[in-house]
Amino acid sequence: HPDFIVVLVGTNDVAGEDPPFYKHQNPTSDDIAAGERKLVDKIREKQPQSRIILMGLLPRHGRMKQIKAVNDRIRLIPGVTYLDIGDALTLNGELNPAFTLDGTHLTDEAYAIWADRLLAVLGAQDRSQPNGLPSFTERAGERKSNTRRNVLAV
């Protein structure tokens, strides 16, 4: 059983690329947030002992208005730790070109920022090893870890 479950879903829904869960193309922000709530509820049902970290949707070129609307809704889902790293990845309200390969997919440097933010939350949640979390920012993509934690990412 995982200690933590990290959830990041909805990015393709915002782009209208992955509509199998919706009755129509281009789901609304409410549709996407409701889908995330259902997923969180199902995870709680199946893994009640796990702590859920719900990621805010990541920045995506040309989709920031809807991403903000979804994030404003999902941050209110009770019983989860909400983590939004968008502020670290944006410039002038859009995904920073330095952190993307194509306006959607992230660079190694962006993933390093994400990893550091996530590890900080895991450390705050896991008081049994408050200082044992590694930093991933020394060199992007190089992972050095001196702790073991049971984390499931979906």
Side-chain angles (χ1 to χ4, degrees):
H1 299 286
D3 298 318
F4 299 96
I5 299 175
V6 181
V7 179
L8 172 60
V9 296
T11 300
N12 288 342
D13 298 337
V14 168
E17 296 173 3
D18 194 18
F21 298 107
Y22 306 102
K23 295 178 181 170
H24 51 82
Q25 289 286 101
N26 300 316
T28 67
S29 300
D30 287 331
D31 293 334
I32 295 167
E36 291 202 30
R37 174 103 188 220
K38 286 180 186 176
L39 177 61
V40 165
D41 290 345
K42 183 59 81 174
I43 291 169
R44 272 199 207 104
E45 176 186 314
K46 299 289 185 183
Q47 299 292 331
Q49 76 293 344
S50 299
R51 291 178 262 180
I52 300 170
I53 299 172
L54 180 61
M55 297 292 307
L57 298 188
L58 298 174
R60 189 175 181 135
H61 182 69
R63 304 288 183 176
M64 295 303 293
K65 184 177 179 182
Q66 188 175 18
I67 287 169
K68 181 184 179 326
V70 172
N71 286 346
D72 286 347
R73 288 161 177 76
I74 66 172
R75 81 176 65 246
L76 302 175
I77 296 174
V80 301
T81 299
Y82 176 75
L83 176 59
D84 186 355
I85 64 166
D87 63 324
L89 302 178
T90 56
L91 177 68
N92 299 323
E94 286 289 332
L95 179 57
N96 186 333
F99 294 136
T100 183
L101 304 170
D102 56 7
T104 300
H105 300 95
L106 301 178
T107 63
D108 288 345
E109 291 79 13
Y111 280 114
I113 291 168
W114 184 358
D116 278 343
R117 293 274 184 104
L118 181 57
L119 288 170
V121 169
L122 290 172
Q125 295 276 319
D126 184 4
R127 295 293 180 203
S128 65
Q129 296 180 335
N131 298 314
L133 293 171
S135 171
F136 284 79
T137 55
E138 293 174 18
R139 294 180 62 179
E142 183 177 319
R143 294 188 175 192
K144 299 176 186 176
S145 179
N146 59 357
T147 62
R148 299 189 127 233
R149 190 164 277 93
N150 193 358
V151 178
L152 173 66
V154 293

